[in-house]
Amino acid sequence: LFFLKYFDIKNLENSQNLSPSPRLEELQEENARLKYRLNILKKSLQEESLSHRGKAMLNINQRLQEVFGEAIRASCPELDNPPLSIAPSQQAKFGDYQCNSAMSMSQMLKAKGTKMNPREIAEKIIKNLPDNELVQKTEVAGPGFINIYLQKTFVSKQLSNLLINGVQPPPLPSKKKVVVDFSSPNIAKEMHVGHLRSTIIGDSMCRLFEFLGYEVLRLNHVGDWGTQFGMLIAHLQDMFPDYLTVSPPISDLQAFYKESKKRFDTDEEFKKRAYQCVVKLQSKEPEFIKGWNLICDVSRKEFQKIYDCLDIKLIERGESYYQDLMVEVVKEFEKKGLVELDEGRKVVFPPEQPIPLTIVKSDGGYTYDTSDLAAIRQRIFEEKADIIIYVTDSGQSTHFQVVFAAAQLIGWYNPKVTRVEHAGFGVVLGEDKKKFKTRSGDTVRLMDLLDEGLKRSMDKLKEKERDKVLTPEELTKAQRAVAFGCIKYADLSHNRNNDYVFSFDKMLDDRGNTAAYLLYAFTRIRSITRLAKIDEATLKKAAETTEILLDHEKEWKLGKCIQRFPEILQKILDDLLLHTLCDYLYELATTFTEFYDSCYCVEKDRQTGEVIKINMWRMLLCEATAAIMAKGFDILGLTPVERM
C-alpha cells in the first residue's frame, strides 16, 4: 500500500500536463502516516530481533552489517550483491567502526555505465540508514570511507547483559553436527612432537564448536591396522609365547617395535611369518585378535597419559573400524563406473586432481585412500555430519583434496551443503630453525617435552618466589597451568599454516604475547576484587543496578574491546585460524592494563593503605574482562588459576 501511494504521488509530482491536483495534499498526508507506521514496524522488528538474541553477547559487526546492508541496497538497488565491508577502526579518530563499501560500489556502477564518485555513494548510504539502536553518528572521510561512532549507552547495556547472563554464545539457527578428526597417532609407536600440533589445534577447534552449541564428535583416527601388526604379533609370539594366558610385560613399546622392525628387515623367514600373521589377523582368528588387542592396549595407556596432561578428550576410532566398510566403498565406485585398472591396481581419477586414488592394490589389499574414503562415507551417511574437519599436517593436503574430490564425484556430498575441510598445519622447528629433534637426531618424545615443561615452569615460579606465598597445592596448580598452558599457547598463537619455532624460554616469558603473560594478567585482574573485598553477591547485584560508565577514553576502549569477542569467534568459525583468538586476548589484556593504569578502580588511603573508595562501574569492567579472558582460555584449553 505504501509503495502504491508513493508511486501515485510521484506520478502526480512529475506530470507536466496536469494542473495541481486537490488529491496531492491528501495523498502526501496519507504517505506521511504510512511512513510513520512503517518506521514503527521496523523498530518493533529490530526490538524483536534483539530480544530473540536474548542473553547472548551481540556481535556488533554483524549487527552493523544488517543496518548498513539495508542502507546499501536502498542506495543502489540496481547493483546485484553490492559489497558490504565493515571493520573495526584502527584509530579512535576514525570512529569505532568503518564501512568501506563505497569505493567498490563506485567501480561496479562504472562498469554498468553510471558515474558516481565514492563520496556521493557514502552520503547516500548514510541518508538511507534505518533507525537503529547502536549508531550514534556517522561521517564521510577521505575518498568515501564512512566512520561509524557507537552509542556508549548501547555498549554499556551490552556489558551489563554480559555480567548478568555470563558469556553466552549466539543462538544457532539449527543444531549442526561436527566431526573433528585429530591427534591420530600410530599404535605401537610413541607420540612425538609431530602429534603435538594436531592434538592441540584439534582440541581447541572442538572447544570452540562446543561452546557455540554444535554437536561435536571428537575422533582419534589411530593407525591400528596394516602389515606392521603382522610383524609385531610374530615378534610377540617369539618373545612371550604364553601371551594368551599371561599378560606380557611390554613396558617400552617403542623398543619392542624397533626390535620387530629390525627382524622384519633382516630375517626373511621372520618376514614371511609376519605376512602370514597379517592374513590371519585380517581373517580375525581369535589368538591373533588377542595379540593385536594387547599391543593396542599398551599404546592406549601411553597415549592417555599425554591426553590427561593436556586435558584432551577423544573417541578412538582407528583404521580397523573401517575395514568392513571398505568393501562397500569399492563396490560403489565400481557400480558407478568410476574405477579404472592400472597395472593390476584399481584406481579412481577425480576430475581436475593432480593424482588418482588407489582403492585396491595389485595384491588385492586396501590402502589409506580406501580407508579415508570409507571414513568420509561413514561420517556423512551414518554420523550425518554437517561439518567434517581433518586436522593433520599440511603435507597431506593433496591427499585430502583428492579424497574430497572423489567423495563429491560419487555424489556423497555437496560442498555447498556439507562443509568438509582439511585444516593443515606447518611443522615444529627447533631453535636452529630445523625440524625439532633431540641431540642424537631422534624425534622428540611428547612425554619428555611435557615433563621438561613442568620442570621449567616450577623453576620460573620459584625464581619469582611464588613458592613462598602459595600453598603447595596452589603451587602445583600454577605449575601445571603455566607448563601446559604455555606449550598449547605457543602453538595456537602462531598461524597454523606456518612452521613455528619451539622455545621454552620464549613461551615461559611473562612479557609479550605468551600464555605466561596472559595467565599472570588474569590473576592480577582477579586480585583486584580480593583487594576491594567484594563478594560475588555484591558484584551480581551491582551488575543489575549500576550503569557501566564509559566516559574516560580508556574505559571506552576497554568496553569496545570486550564487545568484540563474538566477532572474533565468528571469524575463527569461518577460517579455523585460532591465532586470531590469541591475538585478541593479548589485545584485551594490554587494553585492560592501559585502563587500570589510568582509571582508579579502588582508591586507598596513602597513609594507612585502607580502601576508602570503590568505583563500582570500573570493578564491573574488571569482571567483564576476566569473564571474556576465562572463556577465551577455555576455548584454547588453558587453565587459569586465581593465585599465581
Side-chain angles (χ1 to χ4, degrees):
L1 180 62
F2 165 71
F3 290 109
L4 287 172
K5 296 290 184 190
Y6 176 79
F7 286 119
D8 201 354
I9 291 165
K10 282 292 173 192
N11 287 335
L12 285 167
E13 285 177 342
N14 294 335
S15 175
Q16 299 298 316
N17 304 322
L18 292 174
S19 56
S21 166
R23 275 192 34 84
L24 180 59
E25 201 172 315
E26 181 189 332
L27 284 167
Q28 284 174 328
E29 283 179 17
E30 189 175 349
N31 192 50
R33 282 197 302 274
L34 286 167
K35 272 187 175 177
Y36 177 71
R37 282 168 59 191
L38 187 65
N39 283 334
I40 289 175
L41 182 63
K42 280 184 179 177
K43 201 163 186 179
S44 68
L45 283 170
Q46 281 176 12
E47 286 168 4
E48 190 181 329
S49 172
L50 287 173
S51 67
H52 173 67
R53 288 168 174 141
K55 296 177 179 180
M57 284 185 78
L58 182 74
N59 184 330
I60 289 180
N61 194 309
Q62 202 170 63
R63 181 73 188 107
L64 286 171
Q65 286 186 40
E66 291 169 10
V67 170
F68 276 80
E70 189 177 328
I72 284 168
R73 287 189 294 274
S75 301
C76 294
E78 65 270 40
L79 291 181
D80 295 324
N81 297 317
L84 178 57
S85 172
I86 306 279
S89 293
Q90 298 303 307
Q91 296 180 51
K93 65 181 179 180
F94 298 130
D96 305 312
Y97 284 81
Q98 279 190 332
C99 174
N100 304 329
S101 300
M103 281 72 76
S104 302
M105 290 170 70
S106 176
Q107 291 298 316
M108 289 174 77
L109 286 168
K110 188 178 178 182
K112 281 179 167 280
T114 305
K115 281 192 175 180
M116 191 182 293
N117 73 54
R119 282 189 71 91
E120 282 181 77
I121 297 170
E123 294 288 0
K124 280 185 80 174
I125 293 169
I126 289 173
K127 192 178 174 185
N128 283 302
L129 279 175
D131 289 341
N132 63 85
E133 73 290 353
L134 73 167
V135 178
Q136 184 204 356
K137 68 170 184 174
T138 53
E139 61 187 22
V140 179
F145 301 111
I146 301 174
N147 294 340
I148 305 163
Y149 295 82
L150 299 176
Q151 291 272 13
K152 287 186 178 177
T153 51
F154 170 78
V155 174
S156 175
K157 281 177 188 171
Q158 294 302 312
L159 293 169
S160 296
N161 177 61
L162 159 66
L163 289 163
I164 292 164
N165 298 308
V167 186
Q168 300 290 334
L172 277 179
S174 60
K175 185 122 179 174
K176 291 189 174 180
K177 184 166 186 180
V178 184
V179 171
V180 184
D181 176 331
F182 68 107
S183 193
S184 309
N186 288 315
I187 293 290
K189 293 183 181 178
E190 286 181 303
M191 287 180 76
H192 54 74
V193 74
H195 296 111
L196 184 68
R197 298 206 79 181
S198 177
T199 304
I200 290 170
I201 294 167
D203 176 61
S204 191
M205 284 179 187
C206 290
R207 287 168 179 267
L208 173 64
F209 282 113
E210 284 158 355
F211 169 64
L212 293 171
Y214 292 80
E215 181 188 349
V216 180
L217 179 59
R218 300 158 155 260
L219 287 186
N220 198 5
H221 188 86
V222 297
D224 65 350
W225 205 251
T227 52
Q228 74 269 28
F229 284 93
M231 163 184 100
L232 288 163
I233 291 168
H235 190 53
L236 180 73
Q237 289 171 335
D238 291 346
M239 300 299 292
F240 306 101
D242 57 352
Y243 76 91
L244 290 171
T245 52
V246 180
S247 187
I250 307 173
S251 56
D252 190 343
L253 198 57
Q254 186 81 349
F256 186 83
Y257 181 88
K258 282 181 178 176
E259 288 165 12
S260 64
K261 183 74 169 73
K262 188 177 178 182
R263 291 182 70 190
F264 185 83
D265 292 340
T266 57
D267 185 339
E268 280 302 316
E269 194 57 40
F270 179 80
K271 182 185 273 193
K272 202 178 292 180
R273 196 153 56 85
Y275 280 128
Q276 289 168 357
C277 287
V278 173
V279 173
K280 289 176 180 178
L281 175 63
Q282 288 174 344
S283 303
K284 298 189 178 169
E285 291 189 22
E287 66 179 270
F288 291 87
I289 290 290
K290 174 82 186 281
W292 173 72
N293 275 324
L294 282 169
I295 293 162
C296 289
D297 285 344
V298 174
S299 266
R300 283 189 195 105
K301 284 172 188 167
E302 292 305 309
F303 296 161
Q304 197 55 47
K305 288 177 189 174
I306 287 161
Y307 295 144
D308 288 344
C309 283
L310 296 173
D311 190 24
I312 308 288
K313 291 176 178 60
L314 279 155
I315 291 170
E316 185 186 303
R317 197 176 283 173
E319 290 168 6
S320 60
Y321 182 89
Y322 303 100
Q323 292 308 298
D324 294 340
L325 303 175
M326 291 196 284
V327 179
E328 295 304 314
V329 165
V330 174
K331 280 183 185 173
E332 196 172 335
F333 272 91
E334 286 180 327
K335 191 177 176 183
K336 296 207 174 177
L338 299 172
V339 176
E340 295 182 30
L341 285 173
D342 178 45
E343 296 180 355
R345 299 178 303 148
K346 291 182 179 180
V347 296
V348 174
F349 286 89
E352 298 176 17
Q353 296 305 314
I355 54 171
L357 291 176
T358 299
I359 58 171
V360 182
K361 292 189 290 185
S362 55
D363 63 4
Y366 298 128
T367 67
Y368 285 122
D369 295 348
T370 335
S371 170
D372 281 333
L373 283 168
I376 195 171
R377 183 176 181 266
Q378 192 274 338
R379 291 163 189 181
I380 290 166
F381 293 109
E382 291 181 33
E383 299 301 342
K384 302 196 183 324
D386 301 290
I387 301 170
I388 307 171
I389 296 164
Y390 295 79
V391 187
T392 73
D393 67 88
S394 296
Q396 296 186 52
S397 60
T398 301
H399 165 71
F400 282 112
Q401 176 188 316
V402 181
V403 168
F404 300 161
Q408 288 171 52
L409 172 68
I410 202 167
W412 289 346
Y413 79 95
N414 178 348
K416 291 179 180 175
V417 178
T418 307
R419 179 181 179 183
V420 181
E421 195 167 332
H422 174 234
F425 53 81
V427 299
V428 182
L429 305 174
E431 293 188 70
D432 57 1
K433 305 286 174 70
K434 293 178 181 174
K435 208 165 183 181
F436 196 35
K437 292 186 181 289
T438 62
R439 284 182 183 174
S440 62
D442 293 331
T443 306
V444 178
R445 293 173 69 245
L446 200 42
M447 204 67 229
D448 292 344
L449 193 80
L450 298 180
D451 287 341
E452 180 70 12
L454 284 169
K455 178 187 172 298
R456 291 197 185 214
S457 67
M458 182 58 82
D459 291 345
K460 193 81 175 175
L461 288 163
K462 285 181 176 177
E463 184 187 308
K464 289 176 164 289
E465 300 188 333
R466 304 314 295 160
D467 53 323
K468 293 178 182 175
V469 293
L470 300 176
T471 66
E473 187 185 0
E474 286 174 335
L475 188 64
T476 301
K477 273 187 182 177
Q479 176 196 21
R480 292 179 71 84
V482 171
F484 302 144
C486 285
I487 288 170
K488 288 183 179 185
Y489 193 85
D491 192 313
L492 295 168
S493 61
H494 290 85
N495 185 321
R496 64 171 165 79
N497 292 310
N498 303 331
D499 300 343
Y500 91 95
V501 175
F502 190 96
S503 164
F504 273 120
D505 290 337
K506 283 182 185 173
M507 67 177 67
L508 289 166
D509 196 340
D510 55 11
R511 295 160 300 176
N513 189 5
T514 65
Y517 170 76
L518 289 175
L519 289 166
Y520 283 121
F522 178 82
T523 305
R524 182 186 178 197
I525 296 168
R526 303 304 298 146
S527 70
I528 297 166
T529 311
R530 289 198 298 273
L531 172 70
K533 295 179 181 170
I534 302 173
D535 59 28
E536 202 173 316
T538 305
L539 278 169
K540 192 172 181 184
K541 189 176 179 185
E544 293 167 350
T545 57
T546 304
E547 182 187 358
I548 298 175
L549 303 175
L550 301 168
D551 298 332
H552 192 287
E553 64 167 316
K554 300 301 181 185
E555 292 170 340
W556 180 229
K557 187 178 179 183
L558 180 60
K560 287 187 296 177
C561 191
I562 291 167
Q563 271 303 127
R564 278 186 32 237
F565 186 58
E567 298 171 26
I568 298 299
L569 297 190
Q570 183 58 53
K571 185 179 183 306
I572 301 165
L573 193 62
D574 294 339
D575 61 22
L576 302 177
L577 295 173
L578 290 149
H579 70 276
T580 306
L581 178 55
C582 300
D583 292 344
Y584 167 75
L585 290 175
Y586 179 60
E587 182 190 344
L588 181 61
T590 53
T591 303
F592 176 83
T593 300
E594 288 178 27
F595 153 78
Y596 190 68
D597 289 345
S598 303
C599 305
Y600 289 116
C601 300
V602 180
E603 295 181 36
K604 293 187 285 187
D605 186 290
R606 290 188 178 181
Q607 306 297 322
T608 64
E610 284 184 33
V611 174
I612 54 173
K613 186 181 178 185
I614 295 170
N615 294 319
M616 190 56 80
W617 80 93
R618 288 175 177 166
M619 292 301 301
L620 293 175
L621 273 171
C622 294
E623 282 300 299
T625 305
I628 295 295
M629 285 187 80
K631 180 49 68 180
F633 287 167
D634 186 52
I635 291 169
L636 296 173
L638 275 60
T639 306
V641 287
E642 294 288 316
R643 284 164 58 79
M644 189 180 288

